[in-house]
Amino acid sequence: MGKSIDTVCIHGKDVRRFVDNTGSISFPIYQTAAYAHPAVGESTGFDYTRLQNPTREEVERIVADLEDGIDALAFSSGMAAITTLFELFKPGDHIIVTDDLYGGTIRLLDHVNKKNGLQITYVDTSDLEQITSNIKENTVAIYIETPTNPMMKVTDIEKVAKEAHEKDIILIVDNTFLSPYYQKPLLLGADVVIHSGTKYLSGHNDTIAGFLVTSREDLSEKLRFLIKTTGAGLSPFDSWLLLRGIKTLALRMDKHQANAIEIANFLQEHKKVEQVYYIGLPKHPSYDIIKKQCTGFGGMISFTVDSEETAKNVLQKVKLIQFAESLGGVESLITYPIYQTHADVPIEKRLAQGIDERLLRISVGIENAKDLIADLAQALEG
């Protein structure tokens, strides 16, 4: 009988690899760079921590199990994971990418990958027609965020996967905002899933990490070669922090969501709020797709206020909610995308997506919802 996901968060699907004889409940931190060989031609299974480490191997096992993949690779950051992923491609390859995308990914694509010969086309991937009409003979991958950062657009993963696989195109999905607790792209047909492990998987705003998860043996083999070669693997201590954080993923995600629903409803009714972007609201344009492919809505909300002055007042006057640009931790954070997460995105591209001086984004934490609403209320009225 398969284990429930909240159990998998703690134990994985199978018994963990036996690497010590102490009976330690907490998986040990193997803080070592190298491993001794028993004899010539013999190995313990570990040779050098750049290649693999028992603590990193354990967190990779848990994340692969959570995403129902065959392999997961842990990286030193989400951007290290994405950078390594794009080494799968060669100059002249064409990739279709979600237009409303995390600013750091856009920076990588526009200033590094294009320089290296990749062809990038940005489209609204929530519109399948925009994807299909932009596929070329040299299109090798489709890269989507769903929901997107920060405008919360949703792409139908299953439909895009069907279109991609008919043309032998790899489908890549950034699943950071919902985590495997609420969305499993591999089961919907994706080939690779990306996580900024810094966010919900870690959950405590105390470490940086990234993950690639795949359901394909050929991609696993290629990515293993790349992580070994580029040296971007996650350190033993950070791997342990991720293991500890993931144990409470199910509990945290349920609380993030419960709080977010209350806050989204509050914001919808506030006179200074003009638009609320939250995938848990029935008025979301992709609500039917969300209900089909997700088991929950998560804790990310973006909203537009009536003026730039109001936005800046909120950022200055929040007390419990902290003005910072990360997300997915137990503490609630509020971000100003135009000057933080998307500061390096050209202004015309920002404005075209609705990322202007009136847009704010909240990563809803696990504090008491009434306390969070009271803080927003006083900040909006200030």
Side-chain angles (χ1 to χ4, degrees), residues 256-357:
H256 288 303
Q257 175 175 277
N259 283 352
I261 290 171
E262 288 195 48
I263 291 170
N265 287 325
F266 160 76
L267 290 170
Q268 281 193 120
E269 301 300 321
H270 199 282
K271 62 185 179 182
K272 291 190 177 181
V273 176
E274 294 188 351
Q275 183 72 38
V276 178
Y277 306 94
Y278 178 59
I279 69 167
L281 294 175
K283 70 175 186 178
H284 191 286
S286 299
Y287 194 69
D288 289 343
I289 296 171
I290 294 160
K291 295 291 286 185
K292 179 185 73 169
Q293 72 182 22
C294 311
T295 57
F297 311 117
M300 298 302 301
I301 303 171
S302 293
F303 63 104
T304 301
V305 293
D306 58 1
S307 68
E308 180 179 355
E309 180 185 8
T310 297
K312 289 182 176 178
N313 279 339
V314 169
L315 295 170
Q316 182 178 353
K317 295 182 178 181
V318 284
K319 298 175 181 177
L320 178 61
I321 301 168
Q322 298 174 77
F323 178 18
E325 65 180 284
S326 192
L327 64 99
V330 295
E331 299 91 356
S332 293
L333 305 178
I334 190 165
T335 299
Y336 205 18
I338 195 166
Y339 292 127
Q340 291 183 297
T341 57
H342 290 68
D344 289 338
V345 178
I347 186 67
E348 65 276 6
K349 187 178 289 189
R350 277 180 275 170
L351 295 177
Q353 295 300 325
I355 304 170
D356 60 20
E357 291 84 354

Side-chain angles (χ1 to χ4, degrees), residues 14-47:
D14 299 309
V15 177
R16 77 189 197 193
R17 177 168 173 168
F18 183 79
V19 288
D20 73 277
N21 59 1
T22 65
S24 173
I25 300 300
S26 174
F27 197 92
I29 303 169
Y30 285 84
Q31 195 64 50
T32 184
Y35 308 82
H37 297 282
V40 175
E42 295 182 18
S43 171
T44 62
F46 299 96
D47 301 308

Side-chain angles (χ1 to χ4, degrees), residues 96 99 122-125 127-135:
I96 295 172
D99 55 0
Y122 294 99
V123 305
D124 180 355
T125 55
D127 180 357
L128 185 62
E129 173 59 28
Q130 289 196 36
I131 296 176
T132 56
S133 63
N134 280 281
I135 292 176

Side-chain angles (χ1 to χ4, degrees), residues 92-95 119 135-141:
D93 284 345
H94 175 242
I95 301 169
Q119 300 174 18
I135 292 176
K136 306 175 183 179
E137 287 188 4
N138 60 334
T139 302
V140 295

